[in-house]
Amino acid sequence: MLQTTSVGSFPKPPYLVAARAKFAAQKISYDELFELEQKATRELIEMQERIGIDIFVHGEMERGDMATYFAEKLKGFTISGPVRAYGNRYYRKPIVSGDVTRPEAMTVAMFEYAQSLTDKPVKGMLTGPYTMCDWSFNNFYADRRALTLALAEVIGEEARALEDAGAKYIQIDEPAISTRPEELDLAIEAMGIVTHGMKAKTISHICYGDFKTIYPKILDLPVDQLDLEFANSDFSNLEIFKDPPFTKEIALGVLDIHSHTIESVGQVKEWILSALEVFPPEKVYIDPDCGLKTRTLEETEAKLKIMVQAVREIKAEKGWE
Amino acid sequence: MKTTVVGNYPKIPSSKDGVNLRRAINREEKGKISSVELEEIRQKTIIRTINDQLDAGVDIITDGQIRWNELTFPMATSMTGALPGGLRRFYDNNNYYRRPQVTDLLTRTKSFVTDEYKFAAEQSDRPVKAVLCGPITFCDMTDNFYYKSFDKTAEAITDLLAEEVSDLISAGCKHIQIDEPSLPLFKHKMGLARELIDRIFAGTKVESSIFIYFNSIAPIAEGLFDLPVNGIGLDLVSHSGDIDLLADFDPDKTLVAGLFDGRNIMLENEKKIRASIEKILTYLDNDKLILSPSCGLEFLPQKYAIAKMKRMTEIAKKLSAGKGK
């Protein structure tokens, strides 16, 4: 009950940021970069042990952007250049310029490495087909549907490879899913191709959308758990999920990942308790609103500690230990 | 045939050695450069943006909104009574804006865009268009905790927009565009919108225009064409069927036809653009048509934004030559 986890990305330590820049400028080899990615991953696993998180993430030290990373591993993509997402944050927007295929596993090696460092389960982390389509320029497929379904095939192959490697939780993020409510059926169909026949627990993270426009239809998304942001809007979106009742597991975002301010234990407890009036406790997981890569490592650890402390106090008060 | 752009423009260059505003902002945050040095980089970026447009042959340019993070940014950062809120998706884009929170009486502490206009106008021998977020869109993108209603908030921001328009005109600005992408979502507010737009431009002689992008104008076409402005700008890419609605266009107004996709790198096919223009010219005269991208070009990396503008001006030139002008 109330297991704690994270959405995916963690901040990169300064030595890795520097190494990535050197690698991009061809001043160090991939082996040298990979060694530092492993070192940073190890440090993040240690940090999660230290804080007392229940379900780990590997931290995505090897990834820049969540869509571009896969575009660079898959065949059929090129990269156009940096496009601003918000504030001073940019992503290198992919171009689909040919048939999308998966020449080799994209995430398994880093998953296996992270899992080898801990007894806690580590989540396998993928970006969903609808989001990959929405965040790319499509210069090849006839339409968005054709591209999304082609992406579903290759991301499904990767999901099965992660399951074969022992992943008990596989998260397929679809932050773009609320962008065009009229395409929700397509996103659901594509996710069905990805998760078909999987035994691992499947999760999808969705953010920055107007949930009103996709609820309750989003409950048809073929995953076991939805991971949603709440802190960002002071939990005002909780109302939406009261009627009709939420039928899946829910991971509750209780930390605003775009704010430097560290939440108070009291605030996080209050939010969780208000959510427990809407969702049954046995179906609730607790995590930040979104990936933490835009925070500093210090802010990340401080925020996650508050989250774990809030959960511990609630469990003690409710006698759920 | 004249050309223009809608507003925003990529802030960082495609080439590695160009002035890089993203890096400069990061370095200023870390204390590695001063705010004065950052300001120099901002100005250089605005000059590059203006030169990209001039080199591409665009007739009516903007400063690229290089200082803005989002459409409401210049207002939200130049007013008392508004605080920055959480991030929200900007329509159907992978782009997010900070949602202002209105918590007190809104008053201007400085001009929203007039200083930016003055700087840009000094750099350009062609007219610079000033762009402002319209009152309906401002209210749609804001959480109001102070005013009694949506309408009251809209009226309050309208008064400030009217002050800004007056400042812009005093500074010599001849083209002012109000962006109202949310307007089609507020069919029931068209009466209010008309009143507010009228108030913003009342008694002025400026080339006033309103631009709607991303959302189809179908729900509001009639009222939109009737608004008291000189020009109407439309995104004719996101909802290509909207072109048929131009049958009811007011031929005394200028149409800014957003026929070039500001959100995709693919360059437009000349034949298709010509066909669209021919259709549009059955509804209005040649001299009432200005070509434009469908929205700001910041959704593209810089080199693609340049290519997009060039494609637009090449087609405009050929069309003008074909008409013997």
Side-chain angles (χ1 to χ4, degrees):
Chain A
M1 214 172 287
L2 299 195
Q3 292 200 82
T4 54
T5 186
S6 304
V7 177
S9 69
F10 275 169
K12 295 181 178 71
Y15 65 79
L16 184 58
V17 174
R20 286 170 62 86
K22 279 186 191 162
F23 177 71
Q26 298 178 326
K27 285 178 187 158
I28 61 169
S29 69
Y30 177 71
D31 286 348
E32 287 171 279
L33 176 66
F34 182 62
E35 207 169 286
L36 293 175
E37 288 171 351
Q38 288 194 324
K39 173 174 160 26
T41 305
R42 205 158 56 233
E43 289 165 0
L44 290 177
I45 296 289
E46 286 163 8
M47 182 173 93
Q48 293 174 84
E49 301 273 12
R50 193 159 65 230
I51 299 169
I53 300 279
D54 299 310
I55 302 163
F56 284 18
V57 294
H58 78 280
E60 303 180 11
M61 293 297 103
E62 76 287 13
R63 304 184 193 179
D65 174 80
M66 61 181 285
T68 314
Y69 174 79
F70 290 95
E72 289 182 317
K73 298 273 175 191
L74 291 165
K75 273 219 168 91
F77 282 93
T78 56
I79 304 296
S80 67
V83 174
R84 199 170 64 91
Y86 64 90
N88 197 33
R89 294 277 163 182
Y90 290 73
Y91 69 109
R92 292 162 54 242
K93 189 162 179 172
I95 306 171
V96 182
S97 50
D99 261 315
V100 172
T101 57
R102 172 180 168 271
E104 55 182 7
M106 303 180 279
T107 64
V108 175
M110 201 51 112
F111 162 76
E112 284 177 331
Y113 176 71
Q115 187 63 82
S116 75
L117 303 171
T118 178
D119 295 331
K120 296 277 173 61
V122 177
K123 292 197 265 192
M125 305 296 296
L126 301 171
T127 301
Y130 184 78
T131 298
M132 286 293 297
C133 165
D134 195 60
W135 292 4
S136 303
F137 294 119
N138 175 15
N139 281 11
F140 182 77
Y141 286 86
D143 52 32
R144 289 165 64 87
R145 177 180 169 80
L147 172 57
T148 302
L149 295 181
L151 284 160
E153 294 294 338
V154 294
I155 294 161
E157 288 170 22
E158 186 70 15
R160 272 171 275 287
L162 280 167
E163 189 174 62
D164 290 345
K168 297 278 181 285
Y169 296 83
I170 297 178
Q171 183 173 317
I172 306 114
D173 290 344
E174 286 287 22
I177 206 166
S178 63
T179 312
R180 293 183 184 84
E182 70 275 16
E183 288 182 343
L184 195 51
D185 282 327
L186 170 61
I188 289 169
E189 181 183 352
M191 185 63 85
I193 295 170
V194 177
T195 59
H196 180 74
M198 293 199 61
K199 290 181 194 67
K201 180 163 290 193
T202 52
I203 304 162
S204 188
H205 167 70
I206 297 169
C207 59
Y208 299 123
D210 187 355
F211 295 117
K212 266 181 278 186
T213 61
I214 56 170
Y215 193 77
K217 178 94 184 159
I218 192 66
L219 295 174
D220 293 339
L221 192 73
V223 291
D224 301 311
Q225 182 184 119
L226 290 178
D227 179 334
L228 308 178
E229 59 181 353
F230 287 91
N232 186 24
S233 63
D234 288 333
F235 272 68
S236 62
N237 48 347
L238 204 53
E239 281 298 311
I240 301 165
F241 306 103
K242 286 184 178 165
D243 184 33
F246 200 81
T247 51
K248 292 184 187 296
E249 290 184 352
I250 177 98
L252 282 179
V254 301
L255 301 172
D256 183 355
I257 59 95
H258 289 294
S259 166
H260 293 288
T261 314
I262 310 296
E263 288 76 0
S264 70
V265 173
Q267 173 72 85
V268 174
K269 279 175 70 178
E270 193 186 302
W271 279 338
I272 296 174
L273 289 170
S274 66
L276 289 177
E277 290 172 15
V278 179
F279 307 109
E282 66 276 9
K283 287 195 167 181
V284 175
Y285 292 70
I286 305 294
D287 68 357
D289 268 0
C290 198
L292 285 156
K293 68 179 176 186
T294 61
R295 297 278 60 85
T296 64
L297 275 165
E298 293 72 25
E299 286 168 346
T300 297
E301 183 154 3
K303 277 180 178 263
L304 290 174
K305 272 184 180 160
I306 296 291
M307 177 181 92
V308 169
Q309 182 62 28
V311 169
R312 280 189 184 141
E313 289 183 18
I314 288 175
K315 281 183 169 175
E317 286 160 20
K318 299 265 186 190
W320 289 343
E321 282 305 333
Chain B
M1 193 166 290
K2 284 203 165 152
T3 56
T4 188
V5 289
V6 181
N8 62 17
Y9 192 80
K11 295 174 173 62
I12 61 174
S14 287
S15 94
K16 277 200 174 121
D17 32 82
V19 167
N20 190 313
L21 183 56
R22 175 197 198 181
R23 196 184 309 138
I25 291 171
N26 283 336
R27 284 168 63 82
E28 198 260 350
E29 275 174 8
K30 289 180 187 149
K32 288 182 180 166
I33 62 168
S34 68
S35 57
V36 176
E37 286 169 292
L38 174 59
E39 176 57 21
E40 276 171 29
I41 300 284
R42 281 193 206 283
Q43 293 188 1
K44 282 183 183 167
T45 304
I46 294 166
I47 292 167
R48 177 179 67 214
T49 298
I50 288 170
N51 288 338
D52 280 0
Q53 296 170 77
L54 296 179
D55 292 347
V58 177
D59 297 304
I60 304 163
I61 67 164
T62 73
D63 74 344
Q65 303 171 354
I66 297 302
R67 294 173 188 277
W68 307 11
N69 282 343
E70 55 257 328
L71 193 55
T72 52
F73 187 86
M75 294 146 101
T77 54
S78 312
M79 290 194 296
T80 61
L83 298 170
L87 288 172
R88 192 75 71 82
R89 189 188 305 280
F90 185 57
Y91 302 98
D92 56 350
N93 302 293
N94 184 22
N95 180 275
Y96 308 83
Y97 68 95
R98 265 200 195 285
R99 202 169 162 80
Q101 314 279 299
V102 175
T103 55
D104 207 337
L105 187 75
L106 294 174
T107 56
R108 280 196 313 164
T109 51
K110 58 182 171 71
S111 82
F112 296 154
V113 299
T114 303
D115 291 340
E116 295 173 19
Y117 166 76
K118 284 183 194 161
F119 178 81
E122 279 168 22
Q123 320 299 326
S124 171
D125 52 5
R126 286 184 220 150
V128 175
K129 174 167 67 177
V131 180
L132 291 161
C133 174
I136 301 294
T137 298
F138 179 84
C139 289
D140 186 33
M141 295 196 146
T142 310
D143 291 320
N144 167 39
F145 299 104
Y146 177 76
Y147 291 94
K148 284 210 173 73
S149 63
F150 182 99
D151 292 16
K152 294 281 177 210
T153 320
E155 284 170 15
I157 199 71
T158 295
D159 290 340
L160 304 185
L161 286 167
E163 287 174 24
E164 188 69 28
V165 163
S166 164
D167 289 354
L168 280 165
I169 293 170
S170 300
C173 184
K174 302 269 188 290
H175 300 263
I176 301 178
Q177 172 183 305
I178 302 284
D179 284 9
E180 279 286 19
S182 291
L183 197 54
L185 312 174
F186 289 86
K187 187 183 178 184
H188 57 298
K189 299 281 186 196
M190 280 308 284
L192 175 69
R194 190 186 160 78
E195 215 175 283
L196 301 178
I197 296 291
D198 191 34
R199 227 194 273 179
I200 292 171
F201 290 113
T204 66
K205 286 198 176 125
V206 72
E207 275 298 312
S208 60
S209 62
I210 186 160
F211 209 111
I212 314 274
Y213 35 81
F214 306 148
N215 287 308
S216 169
I217 59 158
I220 57 156
E222 200 183 326
L224 174 67
F225 297 153
D226 197 34
L227 286 177
V229 282
N230 301 110
I232 291 178
L234 299 179
D235 171 351
L236 295 171
V237 174
S238 300
H239 304 275
S240 52
D242 280 8
I243 211 166
D244 298 324
L245 301 170
L246 292 170
D248 296 323
F249 194 77
D250 172 2
D252 290 334
K253 288 195 165 81
T254 298
L255 174 72
V256 183
L259 288 168
F260 297 83
D261 192 348
R263 300 194 281 179
N264 201 311
I265 56 175
M266 258 201 279
L267 292 179
E268 278 66 17
N269 173 292
E270 190 181 326
K271 266 191 196 156
K272 278 191 186 164
I273 294 286
R274 275 176 178 273
S276 298
I277 290 173
E278 270 168 34
K279 184 162 196 188
I280 290 170
L281 289 178
T282 61
Y283 304 131
L284 54 132
D285 284 344
N286 199 21
D287 60 346
K288 290 289 184 188
L289 178 62
I290 298 179
L291 297 186
S292 156
S294 58
C295 59
L297 292 171
E298 209 193 350
F299 300 97
L300 309 176
Q302 184 210 17
K303 66 176 176 184
Y304 296 97
I306 291 173
K308 190 67 78 164
M309 292 189 295
K310 283 189 174 157
R311 172 59 56 100
M312 174 174 79
T313 56
E314 278 160 18
I315 292 178
K317 224 181 268 174
K318 281 190 195 168
L319 285 167
S320 299
K323 299 271 178 210
K325 285 190 184 175

